[in-house]
Amino acid sequence: MNRSFSYEQRVGIDAIAVHVPRLYVDLVGEWATKRAAELGEPSVEALIGKVQKGVGVVEMAIPDAHEDSATLAAMAAVKVVLQAGIDPREIGTIAVGTETTVDQSKSIAAYVLGMLERRFGIDLRESGAPQFQFACIGATYALESTVNMFRARENTKPYGLVIATDVSRYPLLSPGEYTQGAGAVAMLISENPRLCTLDPRVAGTITRDERDFFRPNGMSTAVVDGKYSIDVYLDCMAEATKLFLQRSALEAKRNGADVRGERLDQRVDHLLFHAPFPRMAEYAALRIIGEAWRSNVEQFPFLQPLLEQAKLSGDTQAMQRAFEKSLAASKPFQEFFAARVTPSLTLAKRIGNIYSGSMYLGLASLLESSPDRSRLAGSRVGFFSYGSGASARVFSGVLVAPEKAYKPHILAELCAETAGGSRVALSLADYEHLHRGPLALEGAPASLSQPLPSIRAAAGEFALTRVGAESSRARVDLGYRYYDWIPA
Ligand code: HMG
């Protein structure tokens, strides 16, 4: 390896792979029929309309009893290693971002490291394996840390592994219920990456101490103030975007060679948002593209009447809402959104919120749904990351050779098992049974109980096989989670 130091070296994502549970809930079927009355909706059709059009999801992935954030992460990691065709012994660090860790103390990355060692028969003991927690933005901080390690030439091996993994769970019968999901995204980080070089010195980060969404210790479902969480997301994203644009402009001046304009839609070609549900990406695009166009209204004369109309709405917030509503209905915005954002949402519609992996699922979705990946080469991607609590980070990268670096795999897996894919629809009873989880031993937390029997037995995958129950002088493993590779 060349060890000379340069801020200009190209570092980024060499390969990306996704793993989601095979079980899913169809939000149009039995679920909608029962929930419409339970949620007080006027009709089943009204609930389906709200979930499909208003929120933008049609299916959500649900982990089986033997799956959790650790197994999903390890499965995504195995996939990225096999798809990239690298020797897994060349991985020198494993960083995991998660909101739904499996232990209060041990890093989930250490579990993943052990699973990779067993699966590939290798020794990864010389790797670092930290866990990053900050709601849905944890994996972005894991990525930043790993990329900077490579930029500073502190890496000891050619690849770093960054994994975003989560199981999103809200109480049944709450408005959050239809924004659940589960899955993991694994990315290999390297110098001279084949997939996406990340731009140095342009990231804009904002952090505010907020209560929009959280999960108190001991609770398995999130607490969220839904509408407020949307407002905090939008405010933080707008602020982080402003910083990103300022830093990008400075960089462009410094480099001299970048002839792009300074408006957001000139700086980036594709916009990947943290998408807890697909409509959220539309709200975010309306806010930041709305601001970009509005500040250059002479270039967008169609906005003038929309702005005049919005001014009649009252206070600043009402004005903003009215302006964004009319912008959403305009042809220029709809064309912009369809070309620059929609391709990144195809998978989220069918998987749901995977928390820390959501924005990276957007990258996979863009790659997966493009009919000719070679046409994406050289285009600049804007990453709009968000985690409740709350932090937003906006950064960018340039796609290198996506036709070579990415092997489509997710859309095929999302086909029904009977049609050659791997998906299995859950009955409402099985979904609710899995949601409730194992029954707690008397007076003990549910995490100490054995896993429930699986809906579909594990095969060709990592599985949680048992939870330790010993607490004697000879051995202590009470509550420890044991994972094994189960052959197909
Ligand atoms: P809700 O009460 O279910 O929905 O809450 P609503 O009544 O606000 O309606 C939603 C949209 O559906 C509206 O569209 C309705 O008009 C429309 P809009 O007016 O905004 O354009 N609608 C319909 N459309 C067509 N046909 C119909 C129909 N009926 C209504 N029949 C909410 C929705 C997202 C708030 C809820 O599901 C929730 O609380 N989800 C969880 C929280 C969340 O995802 N927040 C997002 C921001 S925070 C974040 O992203 C971080 C997070 O990922 C966690 C982390 O960081 O770790 C959550």
Side-chain angles (χ1 to χ4, degrees), residues 341-415:
V341 184
T342 301
S344 67
L345 301 173
T346 315
L347 297 174
K349 258 180 178 316
R350 307 214 26 221
I351 294 169
N353 190 0
I354 63 166
Y355 285 167
S356 59
S358 162
M359 185 186 69
Y360 302 99
L361 185 69
L363 174 58
S365 183
L366 169 66
L367 298 166
E368 190 100 4
S369 50
S370 167
D372 180 3
R373 266 174 291 285
S374 64
R375 295 185 63 180
L376 294 173
S379 60
R380 180 165 271 125
V381 175
F383 295 87
F384 298 84
S385 189
Y386 177 73
S388 285
S391 187
R393 184 170 170 85
V394 177
F395 56 103
S396 62
V398 177
L399 294 175
V400 183
E403 71 287 7
K404 293 189 192 122
Y406 185 75
K407 298 198 175 62
H409 56 287
I410 317 159
L411 282 171
E413 285 177 20
L414 292 183
C415 289

Side-chain angles (χ1 to χ4, degrees), residues 45-47 49-50 53-55 99 134-137 170 175-176 178-179 212-213 224-227 229-230 233 274 276-277 279-280 283 325 353 355 386-388:
E45 291 68 35
L47 178 60
K50 168 147 115 173
K53 295 204 187 85
V55 174
E99 193 273 335
F134 196 154
C136 298
I137 201 171
Y170 293 92
Y178 34 90
T179 61
D212 57 328
F213 164 108
V224 66
D225 186 338
K227 303 280 186 280
S229 73
I230 292 175
Y233 175 126
H274 168 58
F277 51 93
R279 275 302 297 295
M280 188 69 229
Y283 300 153
K325 220 172 177 49
N353 190 0
Y355 285 167
Y386 177 73
S388 285

Side-chain angles (χ1 to χ4, degrees), residues 25-102:
V25 170
D26 176 356
L27 291 168
V28 175
E30 199 190 352
W31 178 87
T33 309
K34 179 140 182 276
R35 284 293 183 270
E38 289 169 335
L39 292 170
E41 291 288 337
S43 65
V44 176
E45 291 68 35
L47 178 60
I48 292 176
K50 168 147 115 173
V51 171
Q52 281 202 336
K53 295 204 187 85
V55 174
V57 282
V58 291
E59 293 161 356
M60 52 189 193
I62 303 292
D64 207 331
H66 60 265
E67 293 179 301
D68 62 15
S69 298
T71 65
L72 296 173
M75 290 301 292
V78 168
K79 273 188 194 169
V80 82
V81 165
L82 296 178
Q83 288 182 10
I86 66 152
D87 180 341
R89 285 170 297 197
E90 296 201 310
I91 294 171
T93 182
I94 302 174
V96 178
T98 186
E99 193 273 335
T100 48
T101 191
V102 296

Side-chain angles (χ1 to χ4, degrees), residues 35 60 62-63 99-101 104 166-181 212-225 353 355 431-438 446-447:
R35 284 293 183 270
M60 52 189 193
I62 303 292
E99 193 273 335
T100 48
T101 191
Q104 291 296 304
D166 271 308
V167 174
S168 154
R169 197 173 272 143
Y170 293 92
L172 298 177
L173 305 188
S174 74
E177 186 188 353
Y178 34 90
T179 61
Q180 299 177 111
D212 57 328
F213 164 108
F214 51 95
R215 193 161 58 85
N217 285 341
M219 282 184 68
S220 65
T221 52
V223 182
V224 66
D225 186 338
N353 190 0
Y355 285 167
Y431 153 64
E432 291 184 349
H433 177 66
L434 284 173
H435 193 282
R436 278 190 291 272
S447 55

